[in-house]
Amino acid sequence: QVQLVESGGGLVQAGGTLRLSCAASGRIFSINTVRWYRQAPGKQRELVATITSGNNTNYADAVKGRFTISRDNAKNTVYLQMNSMKPEDTAVYYCNADKIITMSRSLVVNSWGQGTQVTVSS
């Protein structure tokens, strides 16, 4: 069974840094595109950053120049480095993988983690 597990959230002061991890557990052969989303209280979930299997990246305007998405395929893990954080970055952060292929060549689509809380104090 494939699962995505986020970690690394917490409380940080404005201007601080956090690094989130999204680790895929199970017998993984490959992971395609992974996206980080966030949802603040009372707001819709929004896309934060994307990384493809070829390491192409894309960012929401609100985080460009501050956040960096990266991946370690050997560890089946995607990271979100968050620098110069602002109170408006406060949200629950979720990772999503559009396609995961297992060692038995099963295809798992649209996997979501459980989320990790990030709180930035002013």
Side-chain angles (χ1 to χ4, degrees), residues 36-40 43-49 60 62-63 88 91 93:
W36 281 99
Y37 290 81
R38 67 186 182 186
Q39 187 166 20
K43 295 188 177 181
Q44 288 189 332
R45 190 171 295 188
E46 63 174 351
L47 177 62
V48 175
V63 307
E88 51 264 43
Y93 284 71

Side-chain angles (χ1 to χ4, degrees), residues 18-119:
L18 280 176
R19 188 176 82 155
L20 304 183
S21 299
C22 171
S25 64
R27 292 174 50 80
I28 307 293
F29 176 73
S30 66
I31 302 173
N32 198 31
T33 297
V34 176
R35 296 177 174 88
W36 281 99
Y37 290 81
R38 67 186 182 186
Q39 187 166 20
K43 295 188 177 181
Q44 288 189 332
R45 190 171 295 188
E46 63 174 351
L47 177 62
V48 175
T50 302
I51 187 165
T52 68
S53 57
N55 278 321
N56 294 310
T57 60
N58 198 17
Y59 300 92
D61 288 343
V63 307
K64 275 181 185 175
R66 300 188 298 119
F67 290 11
T68 302
I69 189 171
S70 61
R71 63 193 297 161
D72 183 337
N73 291 331
K75 295 182 179 179
N76 294 320
T77 300
V78 171
Y79 304 98
L80 185 67
Q81 178 69 42
M82 304 186 292
N83 300 330
S84 302
M85 297 187 71
K86 304 175 180 181
E88 51 264 43
D89 294 323
T90 296
V92 178
Y93 284 71
Y94 300 89
C95 64
N96 168 271
D98 65 349
K99 295 177 184 176
I100 297 175
I101 298 175
T102 68
M103 288 295 189
S104 62
R105 298 304 188 264
S106 295
L107 176 64
V108 180
V109 298
N110 199 27
S111 297
W112 288 89
Q114 82 290 349
T116 186
Q117 175 70 48
V118 171
T119 303

